[in-house]
Amino acid sequence: MNKQLLALAMLITTLSTTAASADIETLSVEAQQRPQWVSLDAQLEAVKSATVSAQTSGRIIKVNYDVNDIVPQGAALLEITSKAQGAELAAAEAELARAQAQNEEAQKQRKRYEELFPQGAISQGDMDQAIANARTSSQAVSAAKARIIQANESLQYTIVSAPFSGIVTQRYVEEGETVAPGQPLLSGFSTDQLRAVTNVPFRYINALRSHPEVQIFLPNGDVMNANQLTIFSFADPSSHSYKTRITLPSNNAGLMPGMWLKVQFIAGQRSTMMIPQSAVLNQNELSAVYLIKQGKPVLNQVRLGAIREGYIEVLAGLSPGDNIAIDAYQVLLNLNK
């Protein structure tokens, strides 16, 4: 009697398993030619980064911005005393007025001599001297105007302006200090134009040069496409890799220099097996799929790779032609009923 009950129980279990497996939606694993993606780490840096230096001498009387301040383009970063520069400009303007007066007199005298010379009232020597004086006075006016421009520039240098909009990263001087031409004042960078810098191994550099298209994964999960690349013409002797700069599009909200990002590009084709993510059962550190053998689902461990567009790469554990369950968790639920 016990043997009959055991056989009946085994028959019921087989029928229920067969019925359950008959309702399982399966997928035949196939090897496909897919792009080989290379993923690398990249660091953001500012395209525009500069240190503003003094172009005139003087004492700093006002510092308008400090470290971490956002500065608009053309804003006055700091001010330097301008008394000496103002006096130089006034002297240059006075020199110009004197040169113009002398030039006016010399030109009139030349004109008078040119009218009297044909009549024999003026000697050849006096005529030559008048022409030379007119030319000299004209050149003196030009030199005085040049000094005016120079003095104006020197006066404008007393107000140090921001060459571009950005953020101040370092300040080298304090209010009250005396500075000289060439002395660093402030450093900063622009957040409008950024680029990602990475090192591409030698074996992938030809593929990148043939297809210079890169995907950039942002911290918020978005993916940015870029095709403006600058690949260095020489390799680093220690790492045998090529430094590559990737120019980001203009929309850089939330990105700052110094951040690390993931970038990837296609380096040829390779044969691989891709399965839906729903077919993978994850328990702790175990990744497995339900392999259909003789109509029954059998848990089979797999080693997985990259995930792309809802599909995940199988590196080991399956062979082409294997049948697996598409929804692993639904199979697990059915088996636990």
Side-chain angles (χ1 to χ4, degrees), residues 52 65 71-78 159-166 168 186:
V52 180
Y65 293 94
V71 181
Q73 183 177 2
L77 298 173
L78 53 82
I159 298 179
V160 181
S161 301
F164 48 77
S165 60
V168 178
L186 297 168

Side-chain angles (χ1 to χ4, degrees), residues 279-331:
V280 180
L281 181 66
N282 295 307
Q283 291 185 348
N284 296 328
E285 299 194 7
L286 172 67
S287 297
V289 299
Y290 278 103
L291 183 63
I292 307 301
K293 290 185 176 181
Q294 298 179 354
K296 299 178 182 180
V298 178
L299 199 61
N300 185 74
Q301 186 177 0
V302 292
R303 186 159 61 93
L304 304 176
I307 301 174
R308 294 196 64 83
E309 300 177 357
Y311 285 81
I312 188 166
E313 181 183 9
V314 178
L315 301 177
L318 291 177
S319 301
D322 288 343
N323 288 326
I324 62 171
I326 293 180
D327 193 341
Y329 286 93
Q330 183 62 44
V331 175

Side-chain angles (χ1 to χ4, degrees), residues 162-304:
F164 48 77
S165 60
I167 299 176
V168 178
T169 58
Q170 195 166 356
R171 188 178 73 177
Y172 302 98
V173 293
E174 298 291 340
E175 186 174 325
E177 289 187 21
T178 300
V179 295
Q183 182 175 344
L185 303 176
L186 297 168
S187 293
F189 59 78
S190 173
T191 58
D192 295 335
Q193 294 181 335
L194 299 176
R195 62 191 178 198
V197 180
T198 185
N199 292 301
V200 180
F202 173 76
R203 60 184 180 274
Y204 300 128
I205 198 66
N206 289 332
L208 182 59
R209 284 173 175 167
S210 301
H211 299 88
E213 296 181 0
V214 176
Q215 289 185 341
I216 304 171
F217 293 87
L218 304 181
N220 60 2
D222 294 340
V223 179
M224 183 182 296
N225 296 318
N227 54 14
Q228 296 183 5
L229 277 63
T230 302
I231 304 174
F232 281 30
S233 302
F234 57 92
D236 185 276
S238 58
S239 63
H240 302 287
S241 60
Y242 287 79
K243 188 174 183 179
T244 302
R245 292 172 175 169
I246 308 165
T247 302
L248 273 63
S250 57
N251 185 15
N252 299 323
L255 300 180
M256 293 292 290
M259 286 184 174
W260 286 91
L261 303 175
K262 284 288 186 180
V263 299
Q264 65 178 17
F265 59 91
I266 297 176
Q269 301 284 327
R270 66 188 180 96
S271 179
T272 184
M273 292 178 292
M274 303 292 291
I275 62 174
Q277 285 185 265
S278 60
V280 180
L281 181 66
N282 295 307
Q283 291 185 348
N284 296 328
E285 299 194 7
L286 172 67
S287 297
V289 299
Y290 278 103
L291 183 63
I292 307 301
K293 290 185 176 181
Q294 298 179 354
K296 299 178 182 180
V298 178
L299 199 61
N300 185 74
Q301 186 177 0
V302 292
R303 186 159 61 93
L304 304 176

Side-chain angles (χ1 to χ4, degrees), residues 39-51:
S39 181
L40 300 171
D41 292 325
Q43 188 176 23
L44 292 181
E45 68 177 22
V47 176
K48 292 182 178 180
S49 178
T51 297

